[in-house]
Amino acid sequence: VLKSCMIHAERDDLVIKSPAKHIVLPSIVINEMDFYSVADVKTILANTDKSHFGPAFAVAATTGLRQGEIAALTWKDVDFGEAKIYVKQQCAYVKVDGSYQFVYSAPKYNSVRTVGVPAQTLEILRRYKSEAKVIGQKGLVFTYEKGTPIAGEDLYRAWKQFEKDIGLRGIRFHDLRHTCASLLLGNG
């Protein structure tokens, strides 16, 4: 936009020479969407005990929650009786005033919502909660083993290791969201 405006200004003799004339814009890289099959999701669900964050991966694959939404999920937002998760916030580990800290905010696009949870995922969450040695800070569901919030890059690294450990081909963590959407669409 700026380059176009400056070229027009030069043409109309409003500027002597457009400083933006020789700028080469970077190409936009669009990551292709990928997703797992039903069989792959069953493999994830059957192997949640292989990683401390295995239950988080089950939630991602079966509910479509984003990485930051999973990091911010609290036990009070998990309704076992109604088989629902209330998505009210997201969490990001960001640099603020020179130091890194966890920042909580409304979900992306302010998409506060209620999401249905499959029975098998609820059972995984029930077991995870009952076996938890520590309840996370702020009642968080998914934390480091000491109860502190999880940073997105650590969840991603754990995801990549989990994929490798259970023999799944590699996809991005965000593609678990696409996996959920494609499975829901496939079921009508």
Side-chain angles (χ1 to χ4, degrees), residues 29-174:
V29 177
I30 298 174
N31 290 326
E32 193 152 326
M33 192 173 32
D34 201 358
F35 53 90
Y36 281 138
S37 68
V38 172
D40 293 331
V41 172
K42 287 180 179 179
T43 299
I44 292 169
L45 297 175
N47 288 284
T48 56
D49 60 334
K50 303 271 194 288
S51 168
H52 174 70
F53 296 119
F57 308 144
V59 169
T62 61
T63 66
L65 266 65
R66 296 178 179 96
Q67 189 171 317
E69 294 166 346
I70 288 171
L73 187 65
T74 65
W75 284 115
K76 69 180 180 184
D77 296 328
V78 179
D79 187 335
F80 288 102
E82 295 293 321
K84 294 178 181 174
I85 287 177
Y86 303 100
V87 182
K88 299 176 182 175
Q89 62 183 354
Q90 66 179 350
C91 177
Y93 189 59
V94 295
K95 196 170 195 175
V96 178
D97 297 329
S99 65
Y100 283 91
Q101 55 188 280
F102 292 95
V103 176
Y104 295 84
S105 61
K108 191 173 183 178
Y109 307 120
N110 217 13
S111 59
V112 174
R113 62 198 184 282
T114 302
V115 179
V117 185
Q120 189 174 0
T121 303
L122 278 177
E123 187 51 41
I124 289 167
L125 285 172
R126 247 188 223 99
R127 189 171 59 245
Y128 184 70
K129 186 176 186 180
S130 72
E131 294 172 359
K133 295 177 179 86
V134 178
I135 294 293
Q137 292 175 4
K138 300 183 181 206
L140 293 171
V141 175
F142 304 112
T143 64
Y144 295 110
E145 292 176 7
K146 293 181 180 180
T148 55
I150 53 173
E153 61 268 10
D154 289 340
L155 187 59
Y156 181 79
R157 274 194 291 274
W159 164 245
K160 297 316 282 179
Q161 185 61 52
F162 180 74
E163 281 179 314
K164 185 178 174 185
D165 291 347
I166 66 171
L168 289 176
R169 66 183 170 78
I171 66 172
R172 299 173 305 156
F173 188 92
H174 187 77

